[in-house]
Amino acid sequence: MHEYLGHLADEYRAGRVGRRTFIRWAATLGLSAPAISAILAACAPPTPASPTSAPPAAAPTLAPTAASAAAPVATTPAAAQPRRGGTIRVTGSPAVEINPHKLTSNGGIITVFPCLNFLTRVGADGTPVPELATSWTPSDDIKTWTFKLRQGVTFHDGSPFGADDVVATYKRLTDKSSGSTAASTLNFLPTDGIEKVDDSTVAFHLSRAQADFPYFTYIYQAGILPRNWSGDWASSPIGTGPFKMTNYTPEQGSTYVRNEAYWENGLPYLDGIEIKIWQDPSGELTALQSGASDLMALTPYDALDDIRKNPNLQVQSSRSASYDAMHMRVDTPPFDNPKVRQALALSLNRQDVLNIVLGPDGGDLASDQPVAPILRDHVDIAMKNQDLNMAKQLLADAGHPNGFEFDLPTHSGAEWLKNWALTLQQAFAPLGVKANLVVETSQVYYAHWTTVTTGVTEWASRSTASEILNSAYRTGVNWNSAHWSNPTFDSALDQLDATVDLQKRKELMLTLEKALSDEVPAIITYARSSPRGMSTRVQGMPQDPNRFLDLRSVYLTS
């Protein structure tokens, strides 16, 4: 057991750490579900005896990290009896890439996700739970993490799952020469630091401490593949997941059938999945409204009112850490001058932007930093207010008293993203700044989005601040599209990753969030909610802020 867990329990008993924070950290550091429940029960305030009082609520049966080898149980609505059979029809956007370790787009994620399992999975409450791993234990310096693996699991081709498959998957993920889009995110995990201890145990030896490591095993590229996987998903779509892919046609879609040998008892309920790809989100909406589809993988925010008005449709929504960013390359004029970036940020009325693009309930306001309020380590910093006079003064000080002109690329794969780019364009105009909007296909945009001078990009939700900051804002990482570098920021991020002291983490997060907000390598005005439009016959969809296509426990009522 990690040495900090005793202190964490003391802090919870003293009321200095909240219940939710305690559960998340205890699970992350390897405390078992029974141990978590015992501490929660022991620390509950006493209640006076009463003959009419209800019995105390049972401690939550959280999926564990370090102790339970039982398969996680999928949840379905309490009043519903899951119905077996049927094929769900899903619509989505085109995939830029479908090889799991090279994923960049939602179209690729939804194509592979039904077929895959991960070492862990992160629940709607932000707690890591076991999947192909049954437990994990960190070293005291949180530089070595040891995972015990689930027994009796097989891949779609019948081969047994074991430690060799995990080692091969993570070596591929951490090898930059493989084209892995996860290599920068996992920059603390050297390729030679992945050790097979025995057939059911893997140890990860990190180059620097990472307190959130279990969460990094649920990044969307980290689905476990066979040790001898060919490297081409289209011809070898082999995972351990609940569905098998039977056909894939680029730009058109894919089909799946139930994995009859799936290891989670009773799952999945569906016979199959059909995913149809649309270039235009309006076509997806029409298909949903007409009954030609059951579920939109990504649902435009401006379509939610129409969906809610249809008695045959429903919207499932939850807060998330998804966000949109307009990056500005700090190594390229005029954005190499921080006053230019600060001026553009001050041109925005952030509440108006949220209302226009997503609706008043579409998300949480942000002050040019990406760590959303839903995340465990978020701290509040001052929200920027629109100040056109200050913005004009900053531009004049930067040598642009009459403004300037620049191209602003984005892509057509997310309808709200174009709307946000148009809103930015209009907000910059009073400063004399002309942003020429360039709308490209997803495939074109994501082929050069990290090299263009500016760009408007949608970012999928992550489970921790560390995942977000290490992926896109650390010096030199592949997805640092602003090419921003701040040694103080990098040092604070190293310290954040290395400590489980909650007060220290709070202080470090303040430094990290303020650095981004002050220097503005990217304009970020909100964290998006995570809505999904679907037929009312679709039931059992988990509340997943990451918006992965988890259909294990989904069923159709008719």
Coordinates of all heavy atoms in Angstrom, one line a residue, residues 211-284:
A211 N 1.8 10.5 -10.8 CA 0.8 10.1 -9.8 C -0.5 9.6 -10.4 O -1.3 8.9 -9.8 CB 0.5 11.2 -8.8
D212 N -0.8 10.0 -11.6 CA -2.0 9.7 -12.3 C -1.9 8.6 -13.3 O -2.8 8.4 -14.1 CB -2.5 10.9 -13.0 CG -3.2 12.0 -12.1 OD1 -3.8 11.6 -11.1 OD2 -3.1 13.2 -12.4
F213 N -0.9 7.8 -13.2 CA -0.6 6.8 -14.2 C -1.8 5.9 -14.6 O -2.0 5.6 -15.7 CB 0.6 5.9 -13.9 CG 1.0 5.0 -15.0 CD1 1.4 5.4 -16.2 CD2 0.8 3.6 -14.8 CE1 1.7 4.6 -17.3 CE2 1.1 2.7 -15.8 CZ 1.6 3.2 -17.1
P214 N -2.6 5.4 -13.6 CA -3.7 4.5 -14.0 C -4.6 5.2 -15.0 O -5.2 4.5 -15.9 CB -4.4 4.2 -12.7 CG -3.3 4.3 -11.7 CD -2.4 5.4 -12.1
Y215 N -4.8 6.5 -14.9 CA -5.6 7.2 -15.9 C -5.0 7.1 -17.3 O -5.8 7.1 -18.3 CB -5.8 8.6 -15.5 CG -6.7 8.8 -14.3 CD1 -6.2 9.0 -13.0 CD2 -8.1 8.9 -14.4 CE1 -7.0 9.2 -11.9 CE2 -8.9 9.1 -13.3 CZ -8.4 9.2 -12.1 OH -9.2 9.4 -11.0
F216 N -3.7 7.1 -17.4 CA -3.1 7.1 -18.7 C -3.3 5.8 -19.4 O -3.0 5.7 -20.6 CB -1.6 7.5 -18.6 CG -1.3 8.9 -18.4 CD1 -1.4 9.5 -17.1 CD2 -1.0 9.8 -19.4 CE1 -1.1 10.8 -16.9 CE2 -0.8 11.1 -19.2 CZ -0.8 11.7 -18.0
T217 N -3.7 4.8 -18.7 CA -4.0 3.5 -19.4 C -5.3 3.5 -20.1 O -5.7 2.5 -20.7 CB -3.8 2.3 -18.4 OG1 -4.9 2.4 -17.5 CG2 -2.5 2.3 -17.7
Y218 N -6.1 4.6 -19.9 CA -7.4 4.7 -20.6 C -7.4 5.8 -21.6 O -8.4 6.3 -22.0 CB -8.5 4.9 -19.6 CG -9.9 4.8 -20.1 CD1 -10.3 3.7 -20.8 CD2 -10.8 5.8 -19.9 CE1 -11.6 3.6 -21.4 CE2 -12.1 5.7 -20.4 CZ -12.5 4.6 -21.1 OH -13.8 4.5 -21.6
I219 N -6.2 6.3 -22.1 CA -6.2 7.2 -23.2 C -6.7 6.4 -24.4 O -6.5 5.2 -24.5 CB -4.8 7.8 -23.5 CG1 -3.8 6.7 -23.7 CG2 -4.4 8.7 -22.3 CD1 -2.4 7.2 -24.1
Y220 N -7.3 7.1 -25.4 CA -8.1 6.3 -26.4 C -7.2 5.5 -27.3 O -7.7 4.6 -28.1 CB -9.0 7.2 -27.2 CG -8.4 8.4 -27.8 CD1 -7.6 8.4 -29.0 CD2 -8.7 9.7 -27.3 CE1 -7.1 9.5 -29.6 CE2 -8.2 10.9 -27.9 CZ -7.4 10.7 -29.1 OH -6.9 11.9 -29.7
Q221 N -5.9 5.8 -27.4 CA -5.0 5.0 -28.2 C -4.6 3.6 -27.5 O -3.9 2.8 -28.2 CB -3.7 5.7 -28.6 CG -4.0 7.1 -29.3 CD -4.0 8.2 -28.3 OE1 -4.3 8.1 -27.2 NE2 -3.5 9.4 -28.8
A222 N -4.9 3.5 -26.3 CA -4.3 2.4 -25.4 C -5.1 1.1 -25.4 O -4.9 0.3 -24.4 CB -4.0 2.9 -24.0
G223 N -6.0 0.9 -26.3 CA -6.6 -0.4 -26.3 C -5.6 -1.6 -26.5 O -4.7 -1.4 -27.3
I224 N -5.8 -2.7 -25.8 CA -4.8 -3.7 -25.9 C -5.0 -4.6 -27.1 O -6.1 -5.1 -27.4 CB -4.9 -4.6 -24.6 CG1 -4.7 -3.7 -23.3 CG2 -3.9 -5.7 -24.7 CD1 -3.3 -3.0 -23.3
L225 N -3.9 -4.8 -27.8 CA -3.9 -5.6 -29.1 C -3.0 -6.8 -28.9 O -2.1 -6.8 -28.0 CB -3.3 -4.7 -30.2 CG -4.1 -3.4 -30.5 CD1 -3.3 -2.5 -31.5 CD2 -5.5 -3.7 -31.0
P226 N -3.1 -7.8 -29.7 CA -2.3 -9.0 -29.6 C -0.8 -8.7 -29.8 O -0.4 -7.8 -30.5 CB -2.8 -9.9 -30.7 CG -4.2 -9.4 -31.1 CD -4.1 -7.9 -30.8
R227 N 0.0 -9.5 -29.2 CA 1.5 -9.3 -29.3 C 1.9 -9.4 -30.7 O 2.9 -8.8 -31.1 CB 2.2 -10.4 -28.4 CG 2.0 -11.8 -28.9 CD 2.3 -12.9 -27.9 NE 1.1 -13.0 -27.0 CZ 1.0 -13.9 -26.0 NH1 2.0 -14.7 -25.8 NH2 0.0 -13.9 -25.3
N228 N 1.3 -10.2 -31.5 CA 1.7 -10.4 -32.9 C 0.8 -9.6 -33.9 O 0.7 -10.0 -35.1 CB 1.7 -11.9 -33.3 CG 0.3 -12.5 -33.1 OD1 -0.6 -11.9 -32.5 ND2 0.2 -13.8 -33.5
W229 N 0.1 -8.6 -33.5 CA -0.8 -7.8 -34.3 C 0.0 -7.3 -35.5 O 1.1 -6.9 -35.5 CB -1.4 -6.7 -33.5 CG -2.4 -5.8 -34.3 CD1 -3.5 -6.3 -34.9 CD2 -2.3 -4.4 -34.6 NE1 -4.2 -5.2 -35.5 CE2 -3.4 -4.1 -35.4 CE3 -1.3 -3.5 -34.4 CZ2 -3.6 -2.8 -35.8 CZ3 -1.5 -2.2 -34.8 CH2 -2.7 -1.9 -35.5
S230 N -0.7 -7.3 -36.7 CA -0.1 -7.0 -38.0 C 0.3 -5.6 -38.1 O 1.1 -5.2 -39.0 CB -1.0 -7.4 -39.1 OG -2.1 -6.5 -39.2
G231 N -0.4 -4.7 -37.4 CA -0.2 -3.2 -37.6 C -1.2 -2.6 -38.5 O -1.1 -1.3 -38.7
D232 N -2.1 -3.3 -39.0 CA -3.1 -2.8 -39.9 C -4.5 -3.2 -39.4 O -4.9 -4.3 -39.5 CB -2.9 -3.2 -41.3 CG -4.0 -2.7 -42.3 OD1 -4.2 -1.5 -42.3 OD2 -4.6 -3.5 -43.0
W233 N -5.3 -2.2 -38.9 CA -6.6 -2.5 -38.3 C -7.6 -3.0 -39.3 O -8.4 -3.8 -39.0 CB -7.1 -1.3 -37.5 CG -8.4 -1.6 -36.8 CD1 -9.6 -1.2 -37.2 CD2 -8.5 -2.3 -35.5 NE1 -10.6 -1.7 -36.3 CE2 -9.9 -2.3 -35.2 CE3 -7.6 -2.9 -34.6 CZ2 -10.4 -3.0 -34.1 CZ3 -8.2 -3.5 -33.5 CH2 -9.5 -3.5 -33.3
A234 N -7.5 -2.4 -40.5 CA -8.5 -2.7 -41.5 C -8.5 -4.2 -41.8 O -9.5 -4.8 -42.1 CB -8.3 -1.9 -42.8
S235 N -7.3 -4.8 -41.8 CA -7.2 -6.2 -42.2 C -7.1 -7.1 -40.9 O -7.4 -8.3 -41.0 CB -6.0 -6.5 -43.0 OG -4.8 -6.1 -42.4
S236 N -6.8 -6.5 -39.8 CA -6.6 -7.3 -38.5 C -7.3 -6.6 -37.4 O -6.6 -6.1 -36.4 CB -5.1 -7.6 -38.2 OG -4.5 -8.3 -39.3
P237 N -8.6 -6.5 -37.4 CA -9.3 -5.8 -36.3 C -9.5 -6.7 -35.1 O -10.6 -7.2 -34.8 CB -10.6 -5.4 -36.9 CG -10.9 -6.5 -37.9 CD -9.5 -7.0 -38.4
I238 N -8.4 -7.0 -34.3 CA -8.4 -8.0 -33.3 C -8.2 -7.4 -31.9 O -7.2 -6.8 -31.7 CB -7.4 -9.1 -33.5 CG1 -7.6 -9.7 -34.9 CG2 -7.4 -10.1 -32.4 CD1 -6.5 -10.7 -35.3
G239 N -9.2 -7.5 -31.1 CA -9.1 -7.0 -29.7 C -9.7 -8.1 -28.8 O -10.0 -9.2 -29.2
T240 N -10.0 -7.7 -27.5 CA -10.7 -8.5 -26.6 C -12.1 -8.0 -26.3 O -12.8 -8.5 -25.4 CB -9.9 -8.6 -25.3 OG1 -9.8 -7.3 -24.7 CG2 -8.5 -9.2 -25.4
G241 N -12.5 -7.0 -27.0 CA -13.7 -6.3 -26.7 C -15.0 -7.0 -27.0 O -15.0 -8.1 -27.5
P242 N -16.2 -6.3 -26.7 CA -17.5 -7.0 -26.7 C -18.0 -7.2 -28.1 O -18.9 -8.0 -28.3 CB -18.4 -6.0 -26.0 CG -17.7 -4.7 -26.1 CD -16.2 -5.0 -26.1
F243 N -17.4 -6.6 -29.2 CA -17.8 -6.7 -30.5 C -16.7 -7.0 -31.5 O -15.5 -6.5 -31.2 CB -18.6 -5.5 -31.0 CG -19.8 -5.2 -30.2 CD1 -19.8 -4.3 -29.1 CD2 -21.0 -5.8 -30.6 CE1 -21.0 -4.1 -28.4 CE2 -22.2 -5.6 -29.8 CZ -22.2 -4.7 -28.8
K244 N -16.9 -7.8 -32.5 CA -16.0 -8.0 -33.6 C -16.3 -7.2 -34.8 O -17.5 -7.3 -35.2 CB -16.0 -9.5 -33.9 CG -15.6 -10.5 -32.8 CD -15.6 -11.9 -33.2 CE -15.3 -12.9 -32.1 NZ -15.3 -14.3 -32.6
M245 N -15.3 -6.6 -35.4 CA -15.6 -5.9 -36.6 C -15.6 -6.8 -37.8 O -14.7 -7.6 -38.0 CB -14.5 -4.8 -36.9 CG -14.9 -3.8 -38.0 SD -13.8 -2.3 -38.0 CE -12.5 -3.0 -39.0
T246 N -16.7 -6.8 -38.6 CA -16.8 -7.7 -39.7 C -16.6 -7.1 -41.1 O -16.3 -7.8 -42.1 CB -18.2 -8.4 -39.7 OG1 -19.2 -7.3 -39.7 CG2 -18.4 -9.2 -38.5
N247 N -16.7 -5.7 -41.1 CA -16.4 -5.0 -42.4 C -16.1 -3.6 -42.1 O -16.6 -3.0 -41.2 CB -17.7 -5.1 -43.3 CG -17.5 -4.4 -44.6 OD1 -16.7 -4.9 -45.5 ND2 -18.1 -3.3 -44.8
Y248 N -15.2 -3.1 -42.9 CA -14.8 -1.6 -42.8 C -14.6 -1.1 -44.2 O -13.8 -1.7 -45.0 CB -13.5 -1.4 -42.0 CG -13.1 0.0 -42.1 CD1 -13.7 1.0 -41.4 CD2 -11.9 0.4 -42.8 CE1 -13.3 2.3 -41.5 CE2 -11.5 1.7 -42.9 CZ -12.2 2.7 -42.2 OH -11.8 4.0 -42.3
T249 N -15.3 -0.1 -44.6 CA -15.2 0.6 -45.9 C -14.9 2.1 -45.6 O -15.7 2.8 -45.1 CB -16.5 0.5 -46.7 OG1 -16.8 -0.9 -46.9 CG2 -16.3 1.1 -48.1
P250 N -13.7 2.5 -46.0 CA -13.3 3.9 -45.7 C -14.3 4.9 -46.3 O -14.9 4.7 -47.4 CB -12.0 4.1 -46.5 CG -11.4 2.7 -46.5 CD -12.6 1.8 -46.7
E251 N -14.6 5.9 -45.5 CA -15.5 7.0 -45.9 C -17.0 6.5 -45.9 O -17.9 7.3 -46.1 CB -15.2 7.6 -47.2 CG -13.8 8.1 -47.4 CD -13.5 9.3 -46.5 OE1 -14.4 10.2 -46.4 OE2 -12.4 9.3 -45.8
Q252 N -17.2 5.2 -45.6 CA -18.6 4.8 -45.6 C -19.1 4.2 -44.3 O -20.2 4.6 -43.8 CB -18.8 3.7 -46.7 CG -18.6 4.2 -48.1 CD -18.9 3.2 -49.2 OE1 -19.8 2.3 -49.0 NE2 -18.2 3.2 -50.3
G253 N -18.3 3.4 -43.7 CA -18.7 2.9 -42.4 C -18.2 1.5 -42.1 O -17.3 1.0 -42.7
S254 N -18.7 0.9 -41.0 CA -18.2 -0.4 -40.5 C -19.4 -1.2 -39.9 O -20.4 -0.6 -39.4 CB -17.1 -0.2 -39.6 OG -17.4 0.8 -38.6
T255 N -19.2 -2.5 -39.8 CA -20.2 -3.4 -39.1 C -19.5 -4.3 -38.1 O -18.3 -4.6 -38.3 CB -21.0 -4.2 -40.2 OG1 -20.0 -5.0 -40.9 CG2 -21.8 -3.3 -41.1
Y256 N -20.3 -4.7 -37.1 CA -19.8 -5.5 -36.0 C -20.8 -6.5 -35.6 O -22.1 -6.3 -35.7 CB -19.5 -4.6 -34.8 CG -18.7 -3.4 -35.1 CD1 -19.2 -2.3 -35.8 CD2 -17.3 -3.3 -34.8 CE1 -18.5 -1.2 -36.1 CE2 -16.5 -2.2 -35.2 CZ -17.1 -1.1 -35.8 OH -16.4 0.0 -36.1
V257 N -20.3 -7.6 -35.0 CA -21.2 -8.6 -34.4 C -20.8 -8.9 -33.0 O -19.6 -8.6 -32.6 CB -21.2 -10.0 -35.2 CG1 -21.8 -9.8 -36.6 CG2 -19.8 -10.6 -35.2
R258 N -21.7 -9.4 -32.2 CA -21.4 -9.7 -30.8 C -20.2 -10.7 -30.7 O -20.1 -11.6 -31.4 CB -22.6 -10.3 -30.1 CG -22.3 -10.7 -28.6 CD -23.4 -11.6 -28.1 NE -24.7 -11.0 -27.9 CZ -25.8 -11.3 -28.5 NH1 -25.8 -12.4 -29.3 NH2 -26.9 -10.7 -28.2
N259 N -19.3 -10.4 -29.7 CA -18.2 -11.4 -29.4 C -18.8 -12.4 -28.4 O -19.0 -12.1 -27.2 CB -17.1 -10.6 -28.8 CG -16.0 -11.6 -28.3 OD1 -16.0 -12.8 -28.6 ND2 -15.0 -11.0 -27.5
E260 N -19.1 -13.6 -28.9 CA -19.8 -14.6 -28.1 C -18.9 -15.1 -27.0 O -19.4 -15.7 -26.1 CB -20.2 -15.8 -29.0 CG -21.2 -15.4 -30.1 CD -22.6 -15.0 -29.6 OE1 -22.8 -15.2 -28.4 OE2 -23.4 -14.5 -30.4
A261 N -17.6 -14.9 -27.1 CA -16.7 -15.3 -26.1 C -16.3 -14.2 -25.1 O -15.3 -14.3 -24.4 CB -15.5 -16.0 -26.7
Y262 N -17.0 -13.1 -25.1 CA -16.7 -11.9 -24.3 C -16.7 -12.3 -22.8 O -17.5 -13.0 -22.3 CB -17.6 -10.8 -24.6 CG -17.2 -9.5 -23.9 CD1 -15.9 -9.0 -24.2 CD2 -18.0 -8.8 -23.1 CE1 -15.5 -7.8 -23.6 CE2 -17.6 -7.6 -22.5 CZ -16.3 -7.1 -22.8 OH -15.9 -6.0 -22.2
W263 N -15.7 -11.7 -22.1 CA -15.4 -12.1 -20.7 C -16.3 -11.5 -19.7 O -16.4 -12.0 -18.5 CB -13.9 -11.8 -20.4 CG -13.5 -10.4 -20.6 CD1 -13.1 -9.8 -21.8 CD2 -13.6 -9.4 -19.6 NE1 -12.9 -8.5 -21.6 CE2 -13.1 -8.2 -20.3 CE3 -13.9 -9.3 -18.3 CZ2 -13.0 -7.0 -19.6 CZ3 -13.8 -8.1 -17.6 CH2 -13.4 -6.9 -18.3
E264 N -17.0 -10.4 -19.9 CA -17.9 -9.8 -18.9 C -19.2 -10.5 -19.0 O -19.9 -10.5 -20.0 CB -18.1 -8.3 -19.2 CG -16.9 -7.5 -18.9 CD -17.2 -6.0 -18.9 OE1 -17.7 -5.4 -17.9 OE2 -17.0 -5.4 -20.0
N265 N -19.6 -11.1 -17.9 CA -20.8 -12.0 -17.8 C -22.0 -11.3 -18.3 O -22.4 -10.2 -17.9 CB -21.0 -12.5 -16.4 CG -20.0 -13.5 -15.9 OD1 -19.3 -14.1 -16.7 ND2 -19.8 -13.6 -14.6
G266 N -22.7 -11.9 -19.3 CA -23.9 -11.5 -19.8 C -23.9 -10.4 -20.8 O -24.9 -9.9 -21.4
L267 N -22.7 -9.8 -21.1 CA -22.6 -8.7 -22.0 C -21.9 -9.2 -23.3 O -21.1 -10.2 -23.3 CB -21.7 -7.6 -21.4 CG -22.3 -7.0 -20.1 CD1 -21.4 -5.8 -19.6 CD2 -23.7 -6.4 -20.4
P268 N -22.1 -8.5 -24.4 CA -23.0 -7.4 -24.6 C -24.5 -7.9 -24.8 O -24.7 -9.1 -25.1 CB -22.5 -6.7 -25.8 CG -21.9 -7.8 -26.6 CD -21.3 -8.7 -25.6
Y269 N -25.4 -6.9 -24.8 CA -26.8 -7.3 -25.1 C -27.1 -7.3 -26.6 O -28.0 -8.0 -27.1 CB -27.7 -6.3 -24.4 CG -27.6 -6.3 -22.9 CD1 -27.3 -5.2 -22.1 CD2 -27.8 -7.5 -22.1 CE1 -27.2 -5.2 -20.8 CE2 -27.7 -7.6 -20.8 CZ -27.4 -6.4 -20.1 OH -27.3 -6.4 -18.7
L270 N -26.5 -6.4 -27.3 CA -26.8 -6.2 -28.7 C -26.2 -7.4 -29.6 O -25.2 -7.9 -29.2 CB -26.2 -4.9 -29.2 CG -26.7 -3.6 -28.6 CD1 -25.8 -2.4 -29.0 CD2 -28.1 -3.4 -29.2
D271 N -26.9 -7.7 -30.7 CA -26.4 -8.6 -31.6 C -25.3 -8.0 -32.5 O -24.3 -8.7 -32.9 CB -27.5 -9.1 -32.6 CG -28.5 -10.0 -31.9 OD1 -28.1 -10.7 -30.9 OD2 -29.6 -10.1 -32.4
G272 N -25.4 -6.7 -32.7 CA -24.4 -6.1 -33.6 C -24.5 -4.5 -33.6 O -25.4 -3.9 -33.0
I273 N -23.6 -3.9 -34.4 CA -23.5 -2.5 -34.6 C -23.3 -2.2 -36.1 O -22.6 -2.9 -36.8 CB -22.3 -1.9 -33.8 CG1 -22.3 -2.3 -32.3 CG2 -22.3 -0.4 -33.9 CD1 -21.0 -2.0 -31.6
E274 N -24.0 -1.2 -36.6 CA -23.7 -0.6 -37.9 C -23.4 0.8 -37.7 O -24.1 1.6 -37.1 CB -25.0 -0.7 -38.8 CG -25.4 -2.2 -39.2 CD -26.6 -2.2 -40.0 OE1 -27.2 -1.1 -40.3 OE2 -27.1 -3.3 -40.4
I275 N -22.2 1.2 -38.2 CA -21.7 2.6 -38.1 C -21.7 3.1 -39.6 O -21.1 2.6 -40.5 CB -20.3 2.7 -37.5 CG1 -20.4 2.3 -36.0 CG2 -19.9 4.2 -37.6 CD1 -19.1 2.4 -35.3
K276 N -22.4 4.2 -39.8 CA -22.5 4.9 -41.1 C -21.8 6.2 -41.0 O -22.1 7.0 -40.1 CB -23.9 5.0 -41.6 CG -24.0 5.6 -43.0 CD -25.4 5.7 -43.5 CE -25.4 6.3 -45.0 NZ -26.8 6.3 -45.5
I277 N -20.9 6.5 -41.9 CA -20.1 7.8 -41.9 C -20.8 8.8 -42.8 O -21.2 8.5 -43.9 CB -18.7 7.5 -42.4 CG1 -18.0 6.5 -41.5 CG2 -17.9 8.8 -42.5 CD1 -18.0 6.9 -40.0
W278 N -20.9 10.0 -42.2 CA -21.5 11.1 -43.0 C -20.4 12.3 -43.0 O -19.7 12.5 -42.0 CB -22.7 11.7 -42.3 CG -23.9 10.8 -42.3 CD1 -24.1 9.7 -41.5 CD2 -25.0 10.9 -43.2 NE1 -25.3 9.1 -41.9 CE2 -25.9 9.8 -42.9 CE3 -25.4 11.8 -44.2 CZ2 -27.1 9.6 -43.6 CZ3 -26.6 11.6 -44.9 CH2 -27.4 10.5 -44.6
Q279 N -20.3 12.9 -44.2 CA -19.4 14.0 -44.3 C -20.0 15.3 -43.7 O -19.3 16.2 -43.2 CB -19.1 14.3 -45.8 CG -18.4 13.2 -46.5 CD -16.9 13.1 -46.0 OE1 -16.3 14.0 -45.5 NE2 -16.4 11.9 -46.2
D280 N -21.4 15.3 -43.6 CA -22.1 16.5 -43.2 C -22.9 16.2 -42.0 O -23.8 15.3 -42.0 CB -23.0 17.0 -44.3 CG -23.7 18.3 -43.9 OD1 -23.6 18.8 -42.8 OD2 -24.5 18.8 -44.8
P281 N -22.7 16.8 -40.8 CA -23.5 16.5 -39.6 C -25.0 16.7 -39.8 O -25.8 16.0 -39.1 CB -22.9 17.4 -38.5 CG -21.6 17.8 -39.0 CD -21.6 17.8 -40.5
S282 N -25.4 17.5 -40.7 CA -26.8 17.7 -40.9 C -27.5 16.5 -41.5 O -28.7 16.2 -41.2 CB -27.1 18.9 -41.9 OG -26.6 18.7 -43.2
G283 N -26.7 15.7 -42.2 CA -27.2 14.4 -42.7 C -27.4 13.4 -41.6 O -28.4 12.6 -41.6
E284 N -26.5 13.4 -40.6 CA -26.7 12.6 -39.5 C -28.0 12.9 -38.7 O -28.7 12.0 -38.3 CB -25.5 12.7 -38.5 CG -24.2 12.2 -39.1 CD -23.1 12.3 -38.0 OE1 -23.3 11.6 -37.0 OE2 -22.2 13.1 -38.1

